[in-house]
Structure formats: C-alpha cells, structure tokens
C-alpha cells in the first residue's frame, strides 16, 4: 500500500514539473526545481544506489538540485551531518467502496478556475503551510480537471482553507494540500475539505484515495476511516 500512496505523490510532482517545464528526470532520481516557489521544490523517487545521496547533496550545494529530499522511512539518512529532517508524514489510504460520497457538502467550497482563484489558493496554502506556493503553478496545473481539481474554502469573503485532488495513472485519487489558515482552525474546515475531495474521488469512480498526513491532520483522517501505513520523510540539505 505504501507504494501506491507514494506513487500518487511522486506522479503528482512529476506532473507539475512536466507542466511547468521544471522537471529534472534521471534514471536515479527526479526533481522539480522552482525559483519562485517552495512547492514542490525537492528531489524524490531516489534509487537505492551507493553514493547517490552524497551526489545529490553535492549537486544541491552548487544549485543544480533543490535543497530538499523526500524519501520513504525507514532510511539511512538519519544522522547524516549534511541533512536535517524537516517533515515526517504518515502514509494513509481509504477504500472508496466504504465511502458513499453523499456528504453534506459545504457551500463555502469552490473550485479553482480563474487566475484570481489560483492566487487565493496559493496565498491560503502559503499561510497554512508556512512555505511559498506560486499562484502561476496553481493556475497551470488546475487547467486539466481530469488530472487535478483544486478548491478554496471562503466564508464571509475570507479565504480560510484549501485542498486539491490528483488522479494518477493507476486510477487512485490523491488528496493533497489540505490546509487551514490559523484563524480558521478548530472550525472543522479541514474535515469539510477532505469530505469534498472524497466526494470528488467517489463520483469519479476511483477505488482508492490516498494522502500523506501531518501529525495535526492524522486524527481527522482516522475519524473519516483512513488507515495508516508507513511514513514519508523530507530532509533539508544544510548549507555550509
């Protein structure tokens, strides 16, 4: 199951890189190198090959590759003096046959369709996650709804939450970027956005929904019926 979950994420990042013309694709790893955004700026899909991490660290140091590495746990990166862990997420999935898809959906959720919508999504995501998300990337990848659907949560003219769904080549639905700005937390917005994305997955006839959960989001997904598996870790390459 970990393989299906991680494949969705890596395929999504690959799709972003290809769409924006920013993908570095080698036989040993992939990377999306973005100048004006922290998302999804990282190296991923790394082969199990001796000396490869050292090579990636070296290439990052001279600006050829991004300064973040995402990899499945357990791995041998802990204790590497050139790396520090910046994010650990639980791989989670739910069988969509157990979800009826007829949630009482929130009218405050609307799909990203315009550049203005994309800018609001990017601003909300930037505030929610604490790293810069570029509106142009958001707009470009939102254009093909058969692959990506992105949503804003707006109430009383204030943008409080965001979320998106990515349909991969294996027929799975990946739930990503589910976030809430600080003054919107504790209001159930994350749960409502997750239900909206699950509804999109069910209505699109997908069989499995997957996501990577932060420690804050994991209890929400457990209540909705997601099952946890392994972990995905992101390491930041230290600058000298």
């Amino acid at each position: 199951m970990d393989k299906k979950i991680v494949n969705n994420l890596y395929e999504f990042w690959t799709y972003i890189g290809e769409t924006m013309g920013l993908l570095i694709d080698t036989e040993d790893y992939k990377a999306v190198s973005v100048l004006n955004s922290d998302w999804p700026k990282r190296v991923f899909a790394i082969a199990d090959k001796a000396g490869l991490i050292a090579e990636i660290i070296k290439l990052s140091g001279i600006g050829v590759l991004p300064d973040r590495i995402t990899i499945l746990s357990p791995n041998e990166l802990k204790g590497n003096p050139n790396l520090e862990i910046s994010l650990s997420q639980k791989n989670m999935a739910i069988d969509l046959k157990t979800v009826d898809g007829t949630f009482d959906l929130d009218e405050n959720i609307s799909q990203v369709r315009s550049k203005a919508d994309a800018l609001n999504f990017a601003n909300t995501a930037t505030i929610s996650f604490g790293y810069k998300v570029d509106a142009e990337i958001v707009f470009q990848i939102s254009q093909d709804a058969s692959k990506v659907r992105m949503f804003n949560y707006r109430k009383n003219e204030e943008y409080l939450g965001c979320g998106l769904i990515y349909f991969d080549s294996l027929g799975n639905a990946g739930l990503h970027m589910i976030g809430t700005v600080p003054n919107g937390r504790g209001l159930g917005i994350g749960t409502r956005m997750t239900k909206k994305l699950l509804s999109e997955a069910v209505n699109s006839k997908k069989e499995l929904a997957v996501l990577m959960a932060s420690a804050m989001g994991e209890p929400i997904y457990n209540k909705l019926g997601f099952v946890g598996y392994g972990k995905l870790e992101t390491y930041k390459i230290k600058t000298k």
Side-chain angles (χ1 to χ4, degrees):
M1 184 60 71
D2 275 328
K3 185 176 180 179
K4 291 182 179 180
I5 299 169
V6 174
N7 174 80
N8 182 275
L9 179 64
Y10 287 0
E11 191 178 303
F12 179 41
W13 287 340
T14 300
Y15 175 74
I16 296 173
E18 290 174 339
T19 300
M20 303 304 297
L22 299 170
L23 181 67
I24 300 170
D25 192 354
T26 77
E27 64 178 14
D28 292 329
Y29 57 81
K30 294 183 179 182
V32 181
S33 192
V34 191
L35 292 177
N36 57 345
S37 180
D38 296 321
W39 176 80
K41 186 177 181 181
R42 65 199 63 221
V43 185
F44 59 99
I46 301 169
D48 184 8
K49 184 177 178 180
L52 184 56
I53 295 297
E55 178 184 345
I56 290 171
I57 292 172
K58 180 180 178 180
L59 291 173
S60 173
I62 60 175
V64 174
L65 292 177
D67 64 353
R68 279 174 171 77
I69 296 171
T70 295
I71 192 169
L72 262 175
S73 179
N75 54 65
E76 298 179 354
L77 302 190
K78 289 183 175 66
N80 187 315
N82 298 302
L83 301 170
E84 57 185 2
I85 192 163
S86 61
L87 182 64
S88 180
Q89 296 170 295
K90 173 76 76 172
N91 302 328
M92 305 190 79
I94 187 170
D95 183 345
L96 291 172
K97 292 192 292 293
T98 67
V99 179
D100 64 17
T102 57
F103 296 114
D104 182 17
L105 299 180
D106 196 316
E107 63 182 7
N108 296 302
I109 298 175
S110 60
Q111 190 167 348
V112 171
R113 300 188 187 278
S114 68
K115 286 197 172 183
D117 294 337
L119 178 60
N120 287 314
F121 183 102
N123 288 340
T124 302
T126 296
I127 295 169
S128 298
F129 303 119
Y131 53 77
K132 181 171 175 53
V133 177
D134 181 50
E136 185 61 26
I137 293 176
V138 172
F139 179 69
Q140 292 298 331
I141 67 172
S142 70
Q143 295 307 290
D144 184 355
S146 71
K147 298 290 290 184
V148 181
R149 297 174 195 169
M150 314 182 81
F151 299 90
N152 286 317
Y153 187 100
R154 185 180 69 170
K155 187 172 184 179
N156 298 327
E157 302 304 314
E158 185 178 6
Y159 287 86
L160 299 172
C162 59
L164 70 83
I165 188 166
Y166 173 73
F167 302 119
D168 66 32
S169 61
L170 300 179
N172 300 318
L175 282 54
H176 304 279
M177 302 292 281
I178 302 172
T180 307
V181 300
N183 63 331
R185 290 170 188 163
L187 303 176
I189 293 172
T191 298
R192 293 170 199 167
M193 182 61 74
T194 305
K195 288 180 177 180
K196 170 62 176 175
L197 300 180
L198 285 173
S199 178
E200 292 286 319
V202 171
N203 293 334
S204 298
K205 311 299 182 185
K206 305 304 179 183
E207 295 184 358
L208 189 71
V210 302
L211 56 78
M212 277 60 60
S214 65
M216 184 183 297
E218 193 175 341
I220 295 174
Y221 307 128
N222 282 328
K223 288 180 181 178
L224 290 171
F226 281 84
V227 176
Y229 295 92
K231 287 187 176 182
L232 198 67
E233 296 176 336
T234 296
Y235 291 82
K236 186 178 187 303
I237 299 172
K238 297 178 182 178
T239 55
K240 295 181 179 180

